[in-house]
Structure formats: structure tokens, C-alpha cells
Amino acid sequence: MTDTAPRSSKAEQTRQSIIDAAMGLFRSGGYDQATMRAIADEAGVSVGNAYYYFSSKEHLIQAYYDQIQAAHAEAAEAPLSSEGDFTGRLRGVLLAWVDVAEPYHEFAGKFFKNAAEPSSPLSPFSEDSTAAREAAIELHGRVLDGSDLKLNKALREELPELLWLLQMGIVLFWVHDTSDGQQRTRDLVDQAVPIIDRMLRLTRLPGVRGVVDDIVGLIHLIRP
Amino acid sequence: MTDTAPRSSKAEQTRQSIIDAAMGLFRSGGYDQATMRAIADEAGVSVGNAYYYFSSKEHLIQAYYDQIQAAHAEAAEAPLSSEGDFTGRLRGVLLAWVDVAEPYHEFAGKFFKNAAEPSSPLSPFSEDSTAAREAAIELHGRVLDGSDLKLNKALREELPELLWLLQMGIVLFWVHDTSDGQQRTRDLVDQAVPIIDRMLRLTRLPGVRGVVDDIVGLIHLIRP
DNA sequence: GTCTATAGTGGGATAGAC
DNA sequence: GTCTATCCCACTATAGAC
């Protein structure tokens, strides 16, 4: 979607101040409280100007998403550089997301609601989310690249996207998770990761191989 | 959720006329076109009165939601009574849903959006949806009961819920599916069902068994 | 190209009289 | 239970300043 590189410093400053204002208001009062009037006011710009930079309130959230995504990419560096085996790397990356997203959990449901609508630019499957989605998938590619997993080529190619889907599933669980510090989501990650590891290693088993090939075929069939 | 039995005839009549008006307008013009003003107008009541019966536009959707649910249960009877093997039964039940839901596909995204918010009573995971959810899970229990599948007990117990989750995944795909008659979703079902069948039969394999046990354990851990 | 100010539209939701 | 009147908000339009 939008390029992250700064254009003219003035414009970029304005843009950023709007994002910052939105961030602050989202955080303190949730999505509904943060009206476009309030955001513009807090940023010291006019409503019209806010709309000049963000064509809708949803697009403003998108910027917010991008920021979480960037923070996740950064937080994921630690496990990606220190962990060598697949389980450690995947767990590290997934838990890094839970850490990064924790402050927003309270009102994430509101975001999620908007993101669930297929036509919304906020949908993780949408055109507008392509950049963020691909960055996230790429991150899972790196989980695999540095790991000790041996996989057949066709599966290896699909796996980053599948791991991203897994992450979306964890996000789904996470938004419904009301436990303290989203501990249940962390438990889910802890337990699920070794199972996934074992499942992936099973894919080399004679009886399993054929099914894996069919699954890869299915993925190709349904990909847009 | 709401009881379907009629209360006082006058109130119930008004209530029903609002639902009918909403249904008609949703169907002809989609969700956005059907403003509360238009719905109230069509029903011959005031906007305030419409809100007296339905505390939000979302709550109006519930009536729709229930209708699809009931229609699916009915449409699923055919394959459940005629098909004997697992693939036939599962495919029949899943495709019955796609058939039943087809007229609503256009604006199903709006349903979905509301259902996605964790705190919404329309969420398939919510307290309020327990009855509908359990009915749907029960339906998948019947898919298994009449089939030729042999499974270990622990897995057999979890499987109806897992199949329901699969159905939720298909719904997710479906709302994003813009192909004619949602043909791509139908293709997905056709291709996925035999794969699931094969996967389930693999669970009896020595190397696979342990992983299946762990998955069942994980399910128990994360269930609320 | 960036920004302000202001006035307006239309829709979800509500208050309070009846 | 029902209405009318009104509020608030996202969003648009416009006219113009720098």
C-alpha cells in the first residue's frame, strides 16, 4: 500500500502527527471514542487535512497496523538470530507478536470487526494489505530458512503462507482471549509449535506424502 | 437468544413486520441500502419504534442468521439420509450450506463483520450463539455417526467440533469468494473433503497416532 | 502540493412527549 | 408502544490561503 519512505519532510511530519494522534486516542479511549474530529484536533490539523492523508478512518487504522507489523518484524529479529531449530524460531516469532500486540488487545476486537469484512481495506486478505501480508509471510520464510527442517520442495514453497495463516488463526484466538496478559494464547503457542514441528517431520513418511501432495495441489487450486 | 414463540399478538405483529421489511430490503438492496429509516418506513413504523424492538441494526441481522441456520439443518437432511460413506456425507452437508447461503452472499460480509467481533452476540463463539453452535456441531456428529469411518475414541469425540471449525474456515473462504455462484468454494469443498478423509484414516498409522493424541490434548487445554 | 475553515449530507442511535 | 425531534458521527464539498 502506501510507501513508508519519507517524502517531503513537512508532509511526512503532518502524516505522522495524525497517526500519532490516532494511536494515542485509540489507546486511551478505544476506536469509537477516537472520532476523526478528535484525532484531527489532537494532531493540530483540520478534519479535511486528516482526510487528505487518510481517505477513511479505516485507512488510518491501516497505518496503525503497518506500525504493529513493523514492530513485530523488529521484535522477531531476536529469536530469528538466536534460535536455530524450527520450534524455537517459530515460537519466538509467534510470541513476539503476542508481546507487541498486547497493549492493543483491549480494543483489538473493534479493529478485528472491521478487518473481518471482505471488502474492507483492513482485511488481511485485501489488496490494501498486500504489503503487510507479504512482509509477514516473508518473515515466516525466514523462520524456515534458518531452521533445521528438511522438507520437500513443493511444501517448502507453500509453508510460509501456511504459517501466516496459522498466525491469523492465533490472532483469532487471541482476540477472544480474555485471560491475563493473554496467557492462554501464549500457552496455545507453546503447545502448538512442537506439534506442528512433528507434523511437518511426518510429511516425509511414505503414507503421508501423497496426502501432502494433494494438499499442495489444493492450495494451488484455490489461490486467487 | 430470542425466543421465537409469539408473545402478545400486537407486539409480535409489529416485530414481525419490521423483520419482514428488513429481510426484503436486505435482499433487494443489500445491507447499506437498507437504512433503519427505510426499514421502518417499509414496515410502516417509526424509526424509534424499530429501535424499541431491535436495539441495533446488528440485532436485526440475527433474524436472518437464524433463518440460514434452520434452512441448513433442513437441507442437510437429504445427504445425511442418502449418503453412507464419510466423504459423501461431509461433502453433502458442506455443500448444502453453500446452497442455502448463496442468496445472501452479496451482503454476507456484513454478517461476517458483526460475527467477527468477539463481544458481539452474533459471534459464533459467543455465549449467545451456544445453542446454534451446538446444533451445528451436532450436525457434524451425525455426519460421523452414519459413516464408515473408524477412529480412536478421543479423536472421535473432538471431531464434530473440529469439523465445525472447518466449516467456519470454509465460511471465511466463502465470504471472500467472488466467483460465479461461489463455484470456487464448491471446488474447495469437493477437493478438501477426500483429503480430510485420507488424513483421518492416516491417524491410525503408528507414527501419526502420537501427534493426534497431542492435538487432542491441546484442544482440551485451550477449550474454555 | 499542502492546508484551513466552514457548511452540509445522510445514517445510526436516542430522549422524551404522548 | 409509538412517535417526533434531535444528536452525533463519518464523510463530502467547496472556496480559498500559502
Side-chain angles (χ1 to χ4, degrees), chain B residues 49-194:
Chain B
N49 199 17
Y51 274 99
Y52 174 80
Y53 285 98
F54 300 94
S55 54
S56 76
K57 197 175 172 181
E58 301 189 1
H59 279 82
L60 255 175
I61 299 180
Q62 186 95 43
Y64 235 44
Y65 189 77
D66 291 345
Q67 184 162 304
I68 295 179
Q69 199 89 18
H72 180 217
E74 201 187 319
E77 281 309 318
L80 284 179
S81 62
S82 69
E83 301 284 339
D85 64 328
F86 173 71
T87 58
R89 294 172 73 81
L90 181 58
R91 177 173 20 230
V93 167
L94 293 177
L95 289 181
W97 188 90
V98 178
D99 286 337
V100 160
E102 181 166 355
Y104 316 118
H105 183 265
E106 274 187 88
F107 53 99
K110 305 292 182 178
F111 280 30
F112 198 72
K113 170 177 173 169
N114 291 79
E117 193 182 351
S119 59
S120 166
L122 274 93
S123 167
F125 304 103
S126 76
E127 196 76 42
D128 295 74
S129 296
T130 303
R133 180 173 62 250
E134 284 179 353
I137 291 172
E138 159 67 14
L139 203 62
H140 286 296
R142 291 184 52 208
V143 167
L144 292 172
D145 277 339
S147 82
D148 54 340
L149 263 189
K150 295 276 178 288
L151 299 167
N152 91 52
K153 202 176 151 225
L155 178 59
R156 169 61 184 80
E157 263 166 32
E158 304 304 332
L159 206 45
E161 192 161 354
L162 290 177
L163 289 177
W164 175 78
L165 264 181
L166 167 73
Q167 197 190 324
M168 295 298 103
I170 290 170
V171 171
L172 174 62
F173 185 86
W174 177 84
V175 295
H176 286 88
D177 180 3
T178 55
S179 65
D180 238 41
Q182 292 77 56
Q183 188 54 48
R184 282 163 56 73
T185 301
R186 295 172 200 274
D187 292 343
L188 169 63
V189 170
D190 281 334
Q191 299 283 317
V193 165

Side-chain angles (χ1 to χ4, degrees), chain A residues 109-110 112-113 116-118 123 125 175-176 184 188 191 195 198-199 202 207 210-211 214-215 218 221-222 224, chain B residues 58 109-110 112-113 116-118 123 125 175-176 184 191 195 198-199 202 207 210-211 214-215 218 221-222:
Chain A
K110 277 285 197 280
F112 196 73
K113 170 177 171 169
E117 195 184 347
S123 166
F125 305 103
V175 297
H176 285 88
R184 283 164 55 74
L188 169 62
Q191 300 284 318
I195 292 176
R198 289 179 63 193
M199 286 175 70
L202 281 179
V211 176
D214 285 355
I215 292 173
L218 175 59
L221 177 82
I222 67 175
Chain B
E58 301 189 1
K110 305 292 182 178
F112 198 72
K113 170 177 173 169
E117 193 182 351
S123 167
F125 304 103
V175 295
H176 286 88
R184 282 163 56 73
Q191 299 283 317
I195 292 176
R198 290 180 64 193
M199 286 175 69
L202 280 180
V211 176
D214 285 356
I215 292 174
L218 174 59
L221 177 82
I222 66 175

Side-chain angles (χ1 to χ4, degrees), chain A residues 179-190:
Chain A
S179 65
D180 238 39
Q182 293 77 59
Q183 188 54 49
R184 283 164 55 74
T185 301
R186 294 173 201 274
D187 292 343
L188 169 62
V189 170
D190 281 335

Side-chain angles (χ1 to χ4, degrees), chain A residues 150-162:
Chain A
K150 296 277 179 287
L151 299 166
N152 91 51
K153 206 178 147 221
L155 178 59
R156 169 64 184 78
E157 263 167 32
E158 304 305 332
L159 207 45
E161 193 162 350
L162 290 177

Side-chain angles (χ1 to χ4, degrees), chain A residues 65-141:
Chain A
Y65 268 8
D66 290 345
Q67 214 131 320
I68 294 181
Q69 161 66 30
H72 180 218
E74 201 187 319
E77 280 309 317
L80 283 180
S81 62
S82 69
E83 302 284 341
D85 64 327
F86 175 70
T87 58
R89 294 172 74 81
L90 181 58
R91 177 174 19 231
V93 167
L94 292 177
L95 289 181
W97 188 90
V98 179
D99 285 338
V100 161
E102 182 166 356
Y104 316 118
H105 183 266
E106 272 187 89
F107 52 98
K110 277 285 197 280
F111 285 14
F112 196 73
K113 170 177 171 169
N114 290 65
E117 195 184 347
S119 59
S120 165
L122 279 178
S123 166
F125 305 103
S126 76
E127 196 76 42
D128 293 75
S129 297
T130 303
R133 180 174 62 249
E134 284 180 352
I137 292 173
E138 160 67 14
L139 202 62
H140 286 295

Side-chain angles (χ1 to χ4, degrees), chain B residues 13-34:
Chain B
Q13 236 175 321
T14 305
R15 186 190 173 79
Q16 194 57 49
S17 72
I18 295 167
I19 291 177
D20 291 344
M23 289 244 201
L25 289 175
F26 280 154
R27 212 155 175 166
S28 64
Y31 183 83
D32 286 329
Q33 293 289 330

